[in-house]
Amino acid sequence: MEIYKTRLDELSACLAGMPEVQSATPYGSYVTGQVDEFSDIDLAIDVSGFDNGQFLLTLPMRLAEHYPILFTDFAPSLAPEKYVLTAAIYPDKPFLLLDISVTATPHCSTVTKEMLSGKNNLFAHTLKLFSANMKHYLRGQDCGSDIRKMYGRLALPDTDSLPEMLRHTHRWLLRNASADLRENIDRFTPYLTKIQ
């Protein structure tokens, strides 16, 4: 997909232009040649010589200098062994999230799970999980436990149906979205009509 490569190249150049960044290297579906309409953009940035945990904390603000940020969400469950930020910067492509892994040699473990959890909010975290769960479901992957875990946090109507959980979560996101995010979330609607 040419649009994917264009955006990946642009993002790589942007991140590599930050003074602390030694390199910006793609990983994930682009490297394995499995890019599809649901793919994320996965980039590992090396900030060796700097504290990669502290750099991670500044990344949302620094990205906002170059892109309109719809939302960001840290991955506390991976910390402090790995530092990852998810950012949504493409309102026209709800599945096209940017996952940035911030590495350094030596790795710094100064930022804890608790610190990152405190910076996240339920809405952005749910939207990230919803996007991931939708794409996994549409690809036919086994994601039932992840959908149930996401759904269980929202106090929504009881159901055993995974498609219904996804539909209820989508409605919850629309109800709780700010005006600038509502259109992005509504772009999932055609995909929800395809799930059984």
Side-chain angles (χ1 to χ4, degrees):
M1 296 174 72
E2 189 57 35
I3 187 87
Y4 185 95
K5 179 162 183 358
T6 300
R7 291 180 178 184
L8 175 61
D9 289 347
E10 177 189 281
L11 282 160
S12 296
C14 174
L15 291 165
M18 294 179 182
E20 300 90 338
V21 177
Q22 308 300 314
S23 64
T25 308
Y27 67 97
S29 56
Y30 177 76
V31 173
T32 62
Q34 297 174 319
V35 173
D36 64 17
E37 65 179 308
F38 307 121
S39 293
D40 293 331
I41 291 179
D42 301 307
L43 283 169
I45 58 174
D46 179 356
V47 296
S48 294
F50 297 90
D51 182 321
N52 53 317
Q54 293 301 318
F55 182 88
L56 175 82
L57 296 178
T58 70
L59 200 45
M61 176 189 65
R62 297 174 85 169
L63 277 173
E65 293 171 1
H66 303 276
Y67 298 99
I69 304 294
L70 297 169
F71 72 87
T72 60
D73 188 71
F74 294 104
S77 64
L78 302 177
E81 293 79 19
K82 189 172 181 181
Y83 293 129
V84 176
L85 173 73
T86 297
I89 61 176
Y90 299 117
D92 60 325
K93 302 282 185 192
F95 291 105
L96 189 58
L97 301 180
L98 171 60
D99 285 333
I100 305 173
S101 175
V102 183
T103 67
T105 303
H107 176 75
C108 300
S109 299
T110 56
V111 175
T112 65
K113 294 179 192 299
E114 294 74 26
M115 291 167 71
L116 295 179
S117 291
K119 294 191 173 294
N120 283 345
N121 67 68
L122 179 64
F123 181 85
H125 191 64
T126 302
L127 182 49
K128 176 181 81 172
L129 295 176
F130 175 77
S131 177
N133 287 327
M134 275 289 294
K135 76 175 170 186
H136 294 154
Y137 190 86
L138 289 163
R139 285 173 173 165
Q141 296 172 301
D142 181 13
C143 57
S145 62
D146 292 332
I147 293 172
R148 289 184 187 92
K149 185 175 177 183
M150 171 191 71
Y151 192 74
R153 296 176 175 159
L154 301 178
L156 292 171
D158 285 343
T159 179
D160 291 327
S161 164
L162 296 178
E164 280 305 301
M165 289 181 193
L166 290 169
R167 289 186 187 98
H168 284 306
T169 303
H170 183 250
R171 287 192 286 271
W172 181 90
L173 288 165
L174 284 171
R175 279 195 310 272
N176 290 283
S178 57
D180 57 333
L181 264 177
R182 200 166 289 117
E183 185 176 350
N184 174 259
I185 295 165
D186 199 42
R187 291 183 190 274
F188 287 106
T189 302
Y191 297 97
L192 285 160
T193 64
K194 299 177 184 179
I195 62 176
Q196 303 288 337

